[in-house]
């Protein structure tokens, strides 16, 4: 079983400065190694006697790569085996420390893991992802240790070449788990350590088989409400980044940045304030989504969501050109901008990932279905029509079924999973919890009419039930039955 824990570090001033200098040197090494691999790749296709197209230097064995391994250096090991690009650059770290002695302050494992990071980037490229890019201060913020080098003792951690450092021990490391890898990461609000733990004696959690799924709940992602469930409940959307107060604060801080002189110390301070605001928004959103994920997973054995193309939903509209003049016509992007921001603020993709993680940890399963026509199909008769939905109202043009559009879509999502995965669900009674209807001659009582008052309900705007209302109803019922049948209006 593999776990990942994140702790916040409490480094001293010298330790923080040392880790900052490590990042600068590691970034330079990463960019040099990437440039070296690109240069050696181009040398294989250069025609003539040039070593470099940029400098137009003559090709010599001492200055150019003579083997097709993707890096300059010694391509052979002591045993005579051929090296690849990663091992060539890894072996060249000894020469790097001899030429630049300040690199000796960095732990050797950290330097080797930096080369392995570039190897991973190339592997992702060959698997169909983007080509490795050069790093700058904003996107190179971490370095990694190899397993077995970092030690934990209470609320202190030992980092080689840095020393003992305090950290916020928010959760203890479980007994029996071994530390596999440790990553030090710099964020806006400080330094953090990510620990990857593994215990081979504990098997991985397997999802529940489809035959054992007895209950399921469909989830429809929205903006007015974050999630609409097929059981009729919903989850509110706090709008952490798009509410009025946050937008005003962001506008003020961005204005302070624009008024500061470029390159000045005050501008750096203003930029840090904007970054802290965005970090606070991200932390609040993540905390809320973990609460929502745990709440939704507890509802049923299976959770059903739509397989949404969120990246395509927030894509910019295609430009429109006027024939003859070549001018750009309005394409609706200005109106769609607010929708894109709301979708990004809701962060449906991260929420679905958290639900999937919590479901796997709880032994439950997450199903994804095709979102086609989920909001246009009638759950009563199955009629599909674009005119069925009018914003948040759903009125079927065939049978007249009326319902909330998003909750209607959540039920269709659940039904799609039942049909696609052949789920055998049990029927749950839906009349539980409804208020009891009194007949004409039934004596009203406080248990039937007055809801139970919460003990610590002190929220503002909450409508409270007077404490003596039950007693008044009881006295009223007694007076009514004491009246004679001739005077009573019921007889």
């Amino acid at each position: 079983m593999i776990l990942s824990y994140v702790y916040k570090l409490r480094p001293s001033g010298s330790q923080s400065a040392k880790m900052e200098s490590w990042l600068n040197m590691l970034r330079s090494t990463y960019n040099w190694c990437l440039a070296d691999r690109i240069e050696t790749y181009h040398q294989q296709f250069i025609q003539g006697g040039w070593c470099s197209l940029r400098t137009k230097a003559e090709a010599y064995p001492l200055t150019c790569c003579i083997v097709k391994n993707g890096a300059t250096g010694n391509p052979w090991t002591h045993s005579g085996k051929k090296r690849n690009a990663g091992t060539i650059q890894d072996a060249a770290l000894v020469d790097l420390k001899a030429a630049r002695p300040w690199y000796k302050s960095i732990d050797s494992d950290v330097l080797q893991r930096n080369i392995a990071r570039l190897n991973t980037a190339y592997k992702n490229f060959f698997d169909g992802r983007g080509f490795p890019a050069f790093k700058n201060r904003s996107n190179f913020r971490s370095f990694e240790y190899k397993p077995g080098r970092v030690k934990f003792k209470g609320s202190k951690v030992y980092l080689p070449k840095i020393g003992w450092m305090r950290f916020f021990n928010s959760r203890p490391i479980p007994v029996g788990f071994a530390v596999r890898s440790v990553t030090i990461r710099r964020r806006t609000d400080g330094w953090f350590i990510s620990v990857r733990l593994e215990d081979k004696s504990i098997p991985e959690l397997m999802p529940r088989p489809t035959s054992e799924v007895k209950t399921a709940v469909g989830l429809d992602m929205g903006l007015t409400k974050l999630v609409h469930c097929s059981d009729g409940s919903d989850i509110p959307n706090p709008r952490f980044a798009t509410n009025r107060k946050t937008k005003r604060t962001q506008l003020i801080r961005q204005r302070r940045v624009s008024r500061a002189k470029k390159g000045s110390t005050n501008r750096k301070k203003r930029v840090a304030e904007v970054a802290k605001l965005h970090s606070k928004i991200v932390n609040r959103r993540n905390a809320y989504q973990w609460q929502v994920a745990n709440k939704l997973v507890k509802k049923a054995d299976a959770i059903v969501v739509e397989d949404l193309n969120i990246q395509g939903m927030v894509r910019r509209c295609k430009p429109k050109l006027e024939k003859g003049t070549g001018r750009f016509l309005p394409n609706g992007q200005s109106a769609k901008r607010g929708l894109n921001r709301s979708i990004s603020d809701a962060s449906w993709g991260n929420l679905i990932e958290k639900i999937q993680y919590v479901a796997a940890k709880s032994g439950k399963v997450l199903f994804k279905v095709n979102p086609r026509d989920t909001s246009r199909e009638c759950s009563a008769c199955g009629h599909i029509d674009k005119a069925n939905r009018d914003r948040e109202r759903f009125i079927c043009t065939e049978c007249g079924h009326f319902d909330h559009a998003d909750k209607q879509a959540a039920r269709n999502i659940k039904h799609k999973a039942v049909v696609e995965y052949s789920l055998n669900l049990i029927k749950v009674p839906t009349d539980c919890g409804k208020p009891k209807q009194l007949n004409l001659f039934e004596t009203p009582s406080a248990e039937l009419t007055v809801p139970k008052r919460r003990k610590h309900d002190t929220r503002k705007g909450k409508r409270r039930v007077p404490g003596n209302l039950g007693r008044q109803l009881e006295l009223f019922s007694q007076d009514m039955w004491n009246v004679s049948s001739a005077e009573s209006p019921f007889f």
Side-chain angles (χ1 to χ4, degrees):
M1 185 177 183
I2 298 177
L3 298 177
S4 297
Y5 286 177
V6 180
Y7 302 97
K8 185 174 183 180
L9 295 173
R10 302 172 60 186
S12 61
S14 60
Q15 291 174 339
S16 180
K18 192 171 187 177
M19 290 188 295
E20 191 72 32
S21 65
W22 280 23
L23 288 180
N24 294 332
M25 290 187 286
L26 291 172
R27 185 180 70 254
S28 300
T29 306
Y30 182 92
N31 291 337
W32 189 91
C33 293
L34 176 59
D36 180 50
R37 295 195 186 188
I38 295 174
E39 185 73 14
T40 52
Y41 176 79
H42 289 314
Q43 288 177 12
Q44 301 175 18
F45 304 98
I46 294 175
Q47 299 296 331
W50 288 346
C51 179
S52 174
L53 289 177
R54 181 176 55 85
T55 61
K56 295 185 179 180
E58 294 184 3
Y60 290 99
L62 297 179
T63 59
C64 298
C65 180
I66 60 176
V67 294
K68 299 181 179 182
N69 283 34
T72 56
N74 186 6
W76 309 101
T77 62
H78 295 290
S79 60
K81 293 183 179 180
K82 199 173 183 179
R83 290 172 173 168
N84 55 23
T87 54
I88 289 176
Q89 294 180 344
D90 196 3
L93 292 177
V94 179
D95 300 333
L96 174 66
K97 292 181 180 180
R100 294 171 174 80
W102 52 88
Y103 274 90
K104 294 181 181 179
S105 62
I106 305 179
D107 188 72
S108 59
D109 287 346
V110 176
L111 285 171
Q112 293 175 3
R113 293 303 303 170
N114 194 37
I115 303 298
R117 182 176 181 176
L118 181 59
N119 296 336
T120 304
Y122 264 96
K123 181 179 180 301
N124 294 337
F125 167 68
F126 292 125
D127 291 342
R129 304 179 189 177
F131 187 78
F134 291 96
K135 302 295 182 179
N136 53 31
R137 291 178 179 267
S138 61
N139 56 18
F140 193 92
R141 295 187 173 187
S142 64
F143 57 90
E144 185 180 351
Y145 284 97
K146 287 186 178 180
R149 298 297 308 280
V150 180
K151 303 177 183 178
F152 288 88
K153 185 178 180 181
S155 59
K156 292 185 179 181
V157 58
Y158 175 76
L159 303 177
K161 291 293 186 74
I162 296 178
W164 288 97
M165 186 184 303
R166 295 180 298 172
F167 70 97
F168 293 95
N169 193 3
S170 55
R171 62 166 84 177
I173 296 178
V175 179
F177 280 82
V179 178
R180 298 301 304 164
S181 63
V182 174
T183 303
I184 310 299
R185 184 172 287 104
R186 185 193 63 187
R187 295 182 183 175
T188 307
D189 51 346
W191 292 87
F192 291 83
I193 178 172
S194 301
V195 186
R196 189 176 180 86
L197 308 172
E198 183 180 8
D199 189 356
K200 297 182 179 180
S201 62
I202 302 177
E204 293 290 338
L205 295 175
M206 300 299 295
R208 183 170 300 184
T210 308
S211 58
E212 298 181 5
V213 175
K214 300 301 179 183
T215 57
V217 58
L219 306 181
D220 181 66
M221 304 296 169
L223 298 178
T224 306
K225 299 291 184 180
L226 183 60
V227 181
H228 293 270
C229 305
S230 58
D231 58 0
S233 61
D234 50 44
I235 304 295
N237 185 12
R239 297 179 180 270
F240 295 106
T242 57
N243 61 72
R244 184 176 300 178
K245 183 178 179 180
T246 305
K247 290 172 66 176
R248 174 175 170 80
T249 305
Q250 184 178 356
L251 178 64
I252 293 173
R253 296 189 181 184
Q254 290 282 7
R255 188 186 301 149
R256 291 173 182 173
V257 173
S258 62
R259 289 177 177 176
K261 184 178 179 180
K262 292 185 178 180
S264 63
T265 306
N266 286 334
R267 186 180 179 89
K268 294 180 181 178
K269 293 179 181 179
R270 302 289 88 83
V271 171
E273 291 178 357
V274 176
K276 287 181 180 180
L277 176 62
H278 288 287
S279 177
K280 183 178 179 180
I281 293 173
V282 171
N283 293 337
R284 293 177 61 190
R285 183 189 294 118
N286 287 334
Y288 183 75
Q289 287 185 349
W290 281 118
Q291 296 176 4
V292 171
N294 283 277
K295 183 178 180 180
L296 294 175
V297 170
K298 293 179 181 178
K299 286 181 175 289
D301 298 337
I303 298 90
V304 188
V305 297
E306 294 176 304
D307 191 9
L308 298 174
N309 182 15
I310 303 175
Q311 186 176 1
M313 296 172 67
V314 298
R315 188 174 295 143
R316 292 180 60 87
C317 301
K318 293 183 179 180
K320 293 183 179 180
L321 293 176
E322 186 179 6
K323 294 182 179 180
T325 61
R327 294 183 302 177
F328 288 97
L329 299 176
N331 60 347
Q333 177 59 35
S334 59
K336 189 176 181 292
R337 181 177 59 180
L339 177 63
N340 294 347
R341 290 178 178 177
S342 298
I343 294 175
S344 301
D345 184 23
S347 189
W348 296 334
N350 291 336
L351 178 58
I352 293 175
E353 290 180 357
K354 291 179 175 63
I355 294 174
Q356 186 174 6
Y357 173 80
V358 176
K361 194 175 180 180
S362 304
K364 299 183 180 181
V365 62
L366 176 75
F367 295 125
K368 292 185 179 181
V369 297
N370 189 1
R372 184 178 180 85
D373 295 329
T374 54
S375 60
R376 301 177 181 180
E377 183 179 357
C378 178
S379 60
C381 64
H383 177 66
I384 300 176
D385 190 3
K386 183 179 179 180
N388 287 347
R389 178 161 185 171
D390 181 16
R391 295 185 179 182
E392 294 187 355
R393 296 188 299 268
F394 185 91
I395 304 176
C396 182
T397 57
E398 184 72 16
C399 65
H401 175 67
F402 177 80
D403 201 351
H404 192 279
D406 294 324
K407 295 180 180 179
Q408 163 85 13
R411 286 193 289 271
N412 290 334
I413 293 171
K414 177 183 176 181
H415 179 69
K416 276 192 172 185
V418 172
V419 175
E420 182 177 351
Y421 296 96
S422 302
L423 302 180
N424 187 16
L425 305 181
I426 60 175
K427 294 184 178 180
V428 181
T430 58
D431 57 347
C432 300
K434 291 186 178 181
K436 183 179 179 181
Q437 178 67 36
L438 301 178
N439 55 38
L440 184 61
F441 303 102
E442 187 173 0
T443 305
S445 62
E447 297 179 356
L448 298 176
T449 57
V450 182
K452 200 171 183 180
R453 180 182 174 183
R454 296 183 178 179
K455 190 174 183 181
H456 302 289
D457 196 2
T458 58
R459 291 178 293 176
K460 295 182 180 180
K462 182 73 175 179
R463 186 177 179 183
R464 296 184 178 183
V465 180
N468 58 351
L469 179 58
R471 180 60 179 171
Q472 292 176 1
L473 292 173
E474 185 177 354
L475 295 176
F476 172 75
S477 62
Q478 293 178 2
D479 294 339
M480 288 293 297
W481 288 108
N482 290 335
V483 177
S484 60
S485 60
E487 298 176 356
S488 176
F490 299 106
F491 294 95

